[in-house]
Amino acid sequence: MTSTSSPTLILNKVGKILNMNEAAIKLFNLNSSYIGYLTMDESSNLNWAKFVKQLQSDLRSEEIFNIQTASNEFEMMSFKCFYDPNTEEIVAQISTLNNDIAHELYVSQEQERSQSFHAYDHLPYAVIISDASGIILGLNKYAEMYLKIEKSQLLHKAHQHIFDTFTLKKGQITSYLSKLMGEKHANIHVVDETQVMTPCYYEISSIYDEYNNIIVTVINDETEKKQLQHKVEHQQALNVVGQMAASIAHEIRNPLTSLKGFTELLKLNADEESSMYLSVIDSELQRMEQILSELLVLSKPTSMKVELLELNNIVKQVIEFMLPDALMKNIMIQYISPSTQVYIGGNENRLKQVFMNLIKNAMESMNNGGTITVEMTADCAIAELQIKDEGVGMDSATLQNLFQPFYTTKSAGTGLGLAFVKKVIEEHEGVIGVSSELQKGTCFHLQFPIYSFNQVDTMDVSTKDSAYLVT
């Protein structure tokens, strides 16, 4: 379908032009860099404030204003407007009253056409139908599922309410609406972050059907594609780590072992002051060895010993180990355990390292003390473990890069700990997610598949291939 662009403006609340397309420049005979106001007659100027107030309430509205055109004559024009509350900007599609005759005809036929919307229920993807002024007329069952809203709650509302569920960047809606109204088609990529473990990614595409005078919007689920893309990017980062670790590990570990040996010999004949300095040296050598071990974790292929584990018992052992250090920092660790035993298949040592790493991170974020809450829940198929702190929290940029190797916000951190955590969880066929709010705290969510009674009865200790070594 071919169409010409409609005159489209982006305005602020007092009617100042912020941007416009070529059709609007031609209609009003303005320079492309013009930033000013449309010339209205006195009655239209008085009506503008009332119109904007209604627009802020409904998010879309339509009104007629008397506007000065390129011929310096005033002409009655229809403003079909959408309001973006995030940017406080108005996207306005302009048309003369003569061009609105088709719209009036459409309104009179709205009931007849709406009866045919049930046909969209049989399509295998999400479809939403809005009228030319931006009022939602219908949506199918897939759209209800993606938007997490019942049809009755969305009908006859402004088109922008489609985006209520999703996480959007500032100005994204304004840009989308401007393109839709000017070029008759637009698309936007959004994220649904209401499920912490598995955020969903969608592409929303809209097109204006001039023949039927409606806006057709289709939602395409891109979650699987995005997850695969993230896994590839994460694996590429790990490959870089592996190549680097393989080239330097041998060169570092040999002199490191010698230094540790000579340090122990010097301690035998050292006085009190020398012993203090040697202890500092020994501590730093141990830290260097830990960094090297983390590099090797992410680089050297090995096999993981898998055995039947009672997860509740492992978590209790880790908490008992971490509790003394936590109490010294005025931190309590509260554990809410399930009422039944929870069995999974895995490697006990690696899981303990994961849990200790996450609790240690939680403690380091709580400079003023507080409570770390560890809670385990389970159903017939999935065990979920949550580790929640009352620390400083993280911003969105940190959350996006959290599991990338070498990414850290700590002055003395290596950025390898959470990359290791993620890989171990995936080795156990689990998933990990995180939610956080600045100055309120962070919560890590871990999920593992539960072994059924039949699996427990028949399970033997086995060896599972792994691309990562725990040292």
Side-chain angles (χ1 to χ4, degrees), residues 245-360:
S247 63
I248 68 174
H250 179 73
E251 298 299 327
I252 293 178
R253 183 149 263 178
N254 283 346
L256 193 63
T257 303
S258 298
L259 286 170
K260 289 181 67 178
F262 283 120
T263 301
E264 292 299 321
L265 287 175
L266 289 171
K267 284 182 180 180
L268 296 177
N269 298 314
D271 56 27
E272 185 175 347
E273 185 179 6
S274 298
S275 294
M276 181 182 68
Y277 292 127
L278 288 170
S279 294
V280 173
I281 293 173
D282 189 45
S283 175
E284 290 303 302
L285 288 173
Q286 288 180 19
R287 182 170 177 270
M288 289 175 63
E289 190 170 42
Q290 177 62 32
I291 293 172
L292 184 61
S293 296
E294 288 177 342
L295 281 169
L296 291 172
V297 163
L298 298 171
S299 64
K300 191 179 290 186
T302 187
S303 294
M304 182 178 75
K305 184 179 180 182
V306 178
E307 54 191 344
L308 185 64
L309 303 172
E310 206 287 296
L311 191 59
N312 183 40
N313 186 49
I314 293 175
V315 174
K316 285 180 178 179
Q317 290 177 25
V318 171
I319 292 175
E320 288 174 1
F321 178 78
M322 301 293 290
L323 191 57
D325 189 30
L327 292 174
M328 290 179 64
K329 298 176 181 176
N330 197 30
I331 296 172
M332 288 294 299
I333 302 179
Q334 177 187 21
Y335 181 41
I336 304 172
S337 61
S339 57
T340 58
Q341 291 183 317
V342 178
Y343 288 96
I344 68 169
N347 183 280
E348 182 173 349
N349 289 334
R350 294 198 192 190
L351 287 174
K352 283 183 176 179
Q353 275 189 274
V354 165
F355 301 152
M356 283 190 284
N357 194 318
L358 293 176
I359 293 175
K360 178 174 173 285

Side-chain angles (χ1 to χ4, degrees), residues 102-110 113 131 137 212-214:
H103 173 66
E104 293 173 8
L105 178 61
Y106 164 72
V107 171
S108 68
Q109 297 172 342
E110 178 181 327
R113 285 200 306 271
D131 69 14
L137 302 176
N212 293 299
N213 207 27
I214 57 175

Side-chain angles (χ1 to χ4, degrees), residues 412-431:
T414 63
L416 296 174
L418 288 177
F420 164 74
V421 165
K422 179 178 175 64
K423 181 46 64 177
V424 171
I425 298 300
E426 290 175 348
E427 286 175 350
H428 287 77
E429 299 177 356
V431 292

